[in-house]
């Protein structure tokens, strides 16, 4: 039904996240569930795509990315005038990592999964859709700016502590407001730790290998001919 519209390139459904105890998955699942048909920028965790739309892009999943492949193909499709829809129908029941939330972040760092955000941001700049990428990654971009401000304020403290005091006061105010909003100290502290973790990994990923996916040539071994 939805694919009858020529500009619809992909359709995905709701993701039902079963790992409620792991905040890393619980927070992410909120953006993958809708109550009505919505146009979205990406079909995280999968969906159905039109072959002709993917053919126009030239590739489906960037083989050089550690993650954020859905975001990348989503932006490429949107740039070509297509639309992506998420519909209020159950598509996937996802059983994520049941390990502690911080442990999950550490594991994703070791596997370089968290570097994907930086790769996506760098490619989006070269593909002229960086504004959409910055909007998608706004929390991590803002966190990087905040970290940089903190470093600058500390480096200048020997000349003037005004900037450092302003930075410390603002940080305390933000943390207090976050505690009030989350109504849970554990969730608030995890959010702060997660943002910093992922912001730093995004910066590392920005300088990671980021070749053009069109240039990818899979290594194929012919086991038997005929």
């Amino acid at each position: 039904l939805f694919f009858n519209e020529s500009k619809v390139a992909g359709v995905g459904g709701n993701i039902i996240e079963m790992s409620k105890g792991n905040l890393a998955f619980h927070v992410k699942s909120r953006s993958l569930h809708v109550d009505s048909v919505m146009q979205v920028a990406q079909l995280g965790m999968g969906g159905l795509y039109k072959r002709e739309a993917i053919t126009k892009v030239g590739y489906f999943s960037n083989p050089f990315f550690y993650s954020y492949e859905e975001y990348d193909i989503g932006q490429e499709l949107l740039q070509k005038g297509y639309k992506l829809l998420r519909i209020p129908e159950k598509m996937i029941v996802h059983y994520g990592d049941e390990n502690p939330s911080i442990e999950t972040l550490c594991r994703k760092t070791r596997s370089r999964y968290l570097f994907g955000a930086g790769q996506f941001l760098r490619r989006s700049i070269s593909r002229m859709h960086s504004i959409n990428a910055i909007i998608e990654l706004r929390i991590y971009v803002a966190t990087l700016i905040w970290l940089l401000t903190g470093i600058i304020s500390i480096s200048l403290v020997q000349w003037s502590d005004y900037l450092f005091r302003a930075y410390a006061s603002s940080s305390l105010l933000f943390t207090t407001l976050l505690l009030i909003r989350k109504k849970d100290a554990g969730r608030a502290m995890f959010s702060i730790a997660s943002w910093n973790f992922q912001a730093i990994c995004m910066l590392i990923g920005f300088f990671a290998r980021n070749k053009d996916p069109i240039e990818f040539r899979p290594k194929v071994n012919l086991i038997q001919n005929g």
Side-chain angles (χ1 to χ4, degrees), residues 65-84:
F65 275 20
Y66 293 113
S67 59
Y68 275 80
E69 300 94 338
E70 297 99 335
Y71 294 82
D72 176 57
I73 190 63
Q75 290 304 316
E76 292 291 333
L77 289 167
L78 294 179
Q79 195 173 41
K80 292 185 180 299
Y82 286 105
K83 295 192 297 186
L84 299 173

Side-chain angles (χ1 to χ4, degrees), residues 59 65 71-80 119-136:
Y59 66 96
F65 275 20
Y71 294 82
D72 176 57
I73 190 63
Q75 290 304 316
E76 292 291 333
L77 289 167
L78 294 179
Q79 195 173 41
K80 292 185 180 299
Q119 292 179 300
F120 169 56
L121 179 60
R122 179 176 170 183
R123 179 164 171 78
S124 71
I125 294 174
S126 66
R127 299 294 293 171
M128 305 303 290
H129 47 71
S130 57
I131 293 178
N132 292 335
I134 291 173
I135 292 174
E136 185 66 46

Side-chain angles (χ1 to χ4, degrees), residues 43-203:
L43 296 177
M45 288 199 176
L48 297 176
Y49 293 85
K50 277 184 181 175
R51 181 186 181 91
E52 64 181 67
I54 298 300
T55 300
K56 286 185 179 180
V57 172
Y59 66 96
F60 175 59
S61 178
N62 192 324
F64 299 112
F65 275 20
Y66 293 113
S67 59
Y68 275 80
E69 300 94 338
E70 297 99 335
Y71 294 82
D72 176 57
I73 190 63
Q75 290 304 316
E76 292 291 333
L77 289 167
L78 294 179
Q79 195 173 41
K80 292 185 180 299
Y82 286 105
K83 295 192 297 186
L84 299 173
L85 302 177
R86 190 173 292 280
I87 62 176
E89 297 291 339
K90 183 169 70 173
M91 183 179 71
I92 294 175
V93 177
H94 182 253
Y95 292 85
D97 196 338
E98 292 293 351
N99 290 318
S101 304
I102 292 296
E103 183 178 329
T104 298
L105 283 178
C106 292
R107 179 176 55 79
K108 287 186 173 183
T109 302
R110 290 193 297 270
S111 67
R112 301 184 181 182
Y113 180 90
L114 297 183
F115 295 175
Q119 292 179 300
F120 169 56
L121 179 60
R122 179 176 170 183
R123 179 164 171 78
S124 71
I125 294 174
S126 66
R127 299 294 293 171
M128 305 303 290
H129 47 71
S130 57
I131 293 178
N132 292 335
I134 291 173
I135 292 174
E136 185 66 46
L137 301 170
R138 58 190 178 278
I139 293 179
Y140 311 134
V141 172
T143 301
L144 272 181
I145 294 173
W146 195 248
L147 288 172
L148 179 61
T149 303
I151 293 172
I152 293 174
S153 68
I154 293 173
S155 64
L156 296 177
V157 74
Q158 57 180 321
W159 291 283
S160 173
D161 64 350
Y162 175 77
L163 181 60
F164 177 74
R165 286 190 286 111
Y167 176 80
S169 299
S170 300
S171 298
L172 180 59
L173 177 60
F174 174 80
T175 303
T176 302
L177 293 175
L178 187 63
L179 283 168
I180 295 173
R181 181 184 176 186
K182 295 288 185 179
K183 300 178 182 179
D184 185 298
R187 288 178 179 272
M189 292 302 102
F190 173 76
S191 294
I192 293 174
S194 174
W195 294 337
N196 282 275
F197 241 90
Q198 298 192 64
I200 294 172
C201 287
M202 182 181 72
L203 181 62

